[in-house]
Amino acid sequence: MGGKPAYQREIAEERIRILFDEAENVFDAHPERSDRYVEIARTIAMKFNLSMPDELKERFCPDCYAYWRPGKNVRIRIKNGAKVYTCDECGGVTRRPYQK
Ligand SMILES: [Zn+2]
């Protein structure tokens, strides 16, 4: 199997988490920078063939890749055992299984 060594993937995942933390920090002042951080994080994930950790998948729109801040640009409802995300940036609707 090819791909990058495990330690490199671990470093990549750490960088992705840092980018999401930064995205959260700058969102109030510069939401467009938050979107940029999401873009960089996605690029790193693709380069290292990583799937986004589940808790990070909930923090951006899979349609327009906007960084999401609940109550600001995404609405979240629980419906039929699923979390339903409605993106205020693009109007896209995403469903994810809801675990308590
Ligand atoms: Zn969107």
Side-chain angles (χ1 to χ4, degrees):
M1 207 178 106
K4 314 271 185 190
Y7 78 91
Q8 282 193 9
R9 290 203 307 272
E10 279 169 28
I11 292 168
E13 189 171 317
E14 181 63 24
R15 284 176 65 197
I16 289 168
R17 289 181 192 281
I18 290 167
L19 284 161
F20 272 86
D21 286 347
E22 281 301 303
E24 175 63 24
N25 289 339
V26 300
F27 184 84
D28 284 322
H30 301 285
E32 75 287 349
R33 277 192 213 165
S34 303
D35 296 349
R36 177 78 183 127
Y37 289 137
V38 170
E39 190 185 332
I40 297 166
R42 287 183 57 249
T43 305
I44 294 170
M46 274 185 277
K47 187 171 161 193
F48 288 88
N49 212 3
L50 294 170
S51 54
M52 280 280 181
D54 280 344
E55 72 270 22
L56 297 184
K57 275 186 198 162
E58 298 184 5
R59 289 169 62 181
F60 66 96
C61 177
D63 293 322
C64 69
Y65 306 122
Y67 182 76
W68 275 347
R69 168 80 62 81
K72 274 279 185 189
N73 61 353
V74 62
R75 281 163 290 154
I76 306 172
R77 290 177 302 139
I78 309 293
K79 197 179 171 189
N80 299 331
K83 265 184 173 175
V84 181
Y85 301 78
T86 305
C87 176
D88 281 343
E89 308 288 344
C90 71
V93 177
T94 307
R95 286 176 183 78
R96 292 195 193 287
Y98 174 61
Q99 306 103 335
K100 289 192 189 80

